Amino acid sequence: EICQRIRDDKELCRIPVIILSAKDKPAERVEGLKIGADDYITKPFERDELLARVETVLRRTFLTNRTQDDIESLKKELKQIIQNELITPLFQPIFCTKSLKALGLEVRSRPPVNSPLNNTGFLFKVAEALDMYDELEKLCWKKAISKWKQSANKKSLFLHCTPKFIEDDRLEEVFFTTKGNRPEENMLEIANCLVNQNKLLCMPGLKEFKKLGIKMVVNDIGSGGANLEMVAELKPDFVKIDMILVQGIHADPFKRSIVQSIVDFCKKEQIQSIAEGVEQTDDFRLISELEVDAIQGNLLARPNREIEFIDFSDFSF
């Protein structure tokens, strides 16, 4: 009755509904879907499954509140961005904490500033909703690797990668059809946003690429449980400590204790640690004291269109 009332209400009808029920017979599932539910989960259920289904439903309904003309306009704009390769890669250096020498470059992709899709997060949401995510991610990689190959100083690239990209074999297509690209020079930074529902599916592919010499990076350590599961399964070469733990750490003993535990674990397991979002000198000093292997943040270098490295050997922080 609640489902039917939601569906009959003009203001509420677009809200996604998931039924959680102990009733698990096929006829009962069919009834739940017929009366207006977008999905149906039987009890008991795993937290990760629920989160994955919520994300899937939201992805399907992302464009439902927009007019057809608006959707067509976004689709046309996205096609133009992909066809004309209107993506700009930005590079932010990652530095070794002790020597302050560059370890590598994290790549971030930006759409045209004058586009309705000029927000990166919105751009990728639209691409996913319109089933064009793979094409967009492939373009981002292509542009980044092309720019990187033109640089005289080819530090390793830290490339963001969603599990979906791995499942669809796009990763192999990019790595082995890009002339002059050597897999062992790249780091795959596994995007945590889609780890929950795709972790088990993408794991075999990740392990195969690891055998080829591609180094693995798990990001956002300290911000949730899914990335810790990924660390346990993948045994990565690097972990990135989430900026929520890094920023303000000099004045927060609790954050310091957590980061110290992460660093101790990494040293024991021979994993290199990277602190993200370092913007204050006091935070940098404490990160150094804790012996985090590398740092990344605006204190040393902001994301830039050009691949540039500053020599900090004479600087005192």
Side-chain angles (χ1 to χ4, degrees), residues 30-46:
V30 171
E31 181 187 4
L33 295 171
K34 278 186 174 181
I35 60 177
D38 295 278
D39 204 346
Y40 190 107
I41 304 177
T42 57
K43 302 176 183 178
F45 57 89
E46 295 292 328

Side-chain angles (χ1 to χ4, degrees), residues 32 54 126 128 159 231 234-235 310:
V54 167
V126 170
E128 192 170 11
L159 294 159
V231 170
L234 187 59
K235 299 178 178 59
I310 301 172

Side-chain angles (χ1 to χ4, degrees), residues 152-265:
N153 196 342
K154 293 187 177 65
K155 296 293 182 182
S156 295
L157 283 183
F158 284 68
L159 294 159
H160 285 263
C161 182
T162 58
K164 189 176 187 301
F165 203 54
I166 298 163
E167 292 168 50
D168 294 344
D169 294 329
R170 296 287 184 175
L171 185 62
E172 184 172 358
E173 183 180 337
V174 172
F175 266 127
F176 298 108
T177 59
T178 304
K179 187 177 180 181
N181 186 39
R182 298 172 59 195
E184 65 272 16
E185 295 175 320
N186 301 130
M187 319 285 184
L188 285 189
E189 187 168 333
I190 312 304
N192 191 40
C193 57
L194 295 178
V195 163
N196 272 341
Q197 68 266 43
N198 292 288
K199 175 167 69 71
L200 294 178
L201 292 174
C202 74
M203 193 57 64
L206 283 172
K207 289 180 178 178
E208 284 300 313
F209 282 107
K210 193 175 180 183
K211 291 178 183 177
L212 297 174
I214 301 171
K215 292 181 172 60
M216 299 292 165
V217 185
V218 175
N219 66 6
D220 299 337
I221 294 297
S223 66
N227 41 16
L228 290 176
E229 292 178 37
M230 182 65 81
V231 170
E233 290 279 347
L234 187 59
K235 299 178 178 59
D237 302 279
F238 295 84
V239 298
K240 282 193 168 186
I241 303 170
D242 191 81
M243 67 174 61
I244 197 170
L245 293 176
V246 172
Q247 295 180 346
I249 190 174
H250 72 277
D252 192 328
F254 191 70
K255 287 184 177 181
R256 175 174 181 161
S257 180
I258 295 174
V259 171
Q260 183 68 73
S261 298
I262 294 172
V263 172
D264 291 344
F265 166 79

Side-chain angles (χ1 to χ4, degrees), residues 43-304:
K43 302 176 183 178
F45 57 89
E46 295 292 328
R47 173 181 174 277
D48 283 355
E49 180 189 7
L50 175 59
L51 291 175
R53 288 178 179 266
V54 167
E55 187 165 342
T56 300
V57 168
L58 288 175
R59 187 165 61 246
R60 287 203 307 259
T61 58
F62 176 68
L63 297 175
T64 55
N65 290 327
R66 298 178 177 273
T67 65
Q68 190 59 38
D69 286 346
D70 192 16
I71 294 172
E72 289 300 320
S73 176
L74 290 174
K75 189 173 185 178
K76 182 179 178 181
E77 179 69 17
L78 181 57
K79 283 185 174 180
Q80 188 171 22
I81 288 174
I82 293 173
Q83 289 172 359
N84 296 325
E85 300 189 352
L86 303 177
I87 290 291
T88 301
L90 302 182
F91 302 90
Q92 185 174 35
I94 299 170
F95 296 90
C96 297
T97 308
K98 289 184 178 179
S99 66
L100 289 181
K101 292 182 178 179
L103 171 70
L105 295 156
E106 179 182 328
V107 180
R108 300 178 184 180
S109 299
R110 294 291 182 267
V113 294
N114 59 347
S115 168
L117 298 172
N118 61 5
N119 178 279
T120 304
F122 183 60
L123 171 72
F124 277 92
K125 281 186 178 180
V126 170
E128 192 170 11
L130 295 175
D131 199 26
M132 298 168 70
Y133 195 100
D134 286 358
E135 295 174 69
L136 180 60
E137 191 155 26
K138 182 181 176 183
L139 171 61
C140 291
W141 277 42
K142 176 184 175 182
K143 296 281 285 189
I145 292 173
S146 176
K147 181 75 174 180
W148 171 75
K149 283 167 57 184
Q150 296 170 20
S151 170
N153 196 342
K154 293 187 177 65
K155 296 293 182 182
S156 295
L157 283 183
F158 284 68
L159 294 159
H160 285 263
C161 182
T162 58
K164 189 176 187 301
F165 203 54
I166 298 163
E167 292 168 50
D168 294 344
D169 294 329
R170 296 287 184 175
L171 185 62
E172 184 172 358
E173 183 180 337
V174 172
F175 266 127
F176 298 108
T177 59
T178 304
K179 187 177 180 181
N181 186 39
R182 298 172 59 195
E184 65 272 16
E185 295 175 320
N186 301 130
M187 319 285 184
L188 285 189
E189 187 168 333
I190 312 304
N192 191 40
C193 57
L194 295 178
V195 163
N196 272 341
Q197 68 266 43
N198 292 288
K199 175 167 69 71
L200 294 178
L201 292 174
C202 74
M203 193 57 64
L206 283 172
K207 289 180 178 178
E208 284 300 313
F209 282 107
K210 193 175 180 183
K211 291 178 183 177
L212 297 174
I214 301 171
K215 292 181 172 60
M216 299 292 165
V217 185
V218 175
N219 66 6
D220 299 337
I221 294 297
S223 66
N227 41 16
L228 290 176
E229 292 178 37
M230 182 65 81
V231 170
E233 290 279 347
L234 187 59
K235 299 178 178 59
D237 302 279
F238 295 84
V239 298
K240 282 193 168 186
I241 303 170
D242 191 81
M243 67 174 61
I244 197 170
L245 293 176
V246 172
Q247 295 180 346
I249 190 174
H250 72 277
D252 192 328
F254 191 70
K255 287 184 177 181
R256 175 174 181 161
S257 180
I258 295 174
V259 171
Q260 183 68 73
S261 298
I262 294 172
V263 172
D264 291 344
F265 166 79
C266 288
K267 289 186 181 302
K268 182 180 178 181
E269 300 299 328
Q270 297 183 317
I271 298 171
Q272 292 194 61
S273 56
I274 302 171
E276 292 186 285
V278 180
E279 297 184 353
Q280 295 185 46
T281 303
D282 289 339
D283 288 339
F284 169 73
R285 288 175 181 150
L286 188 52
I287 288 294
S288 300
E289 286 180 23
L290 297 178
E291 297 185 350
V292 176
D293 294 303
I295 65 167
Q296 174 185 0
N298 293 343
L299 177 66
L300 294 182
R302 293 178 177 274
N304 197 311

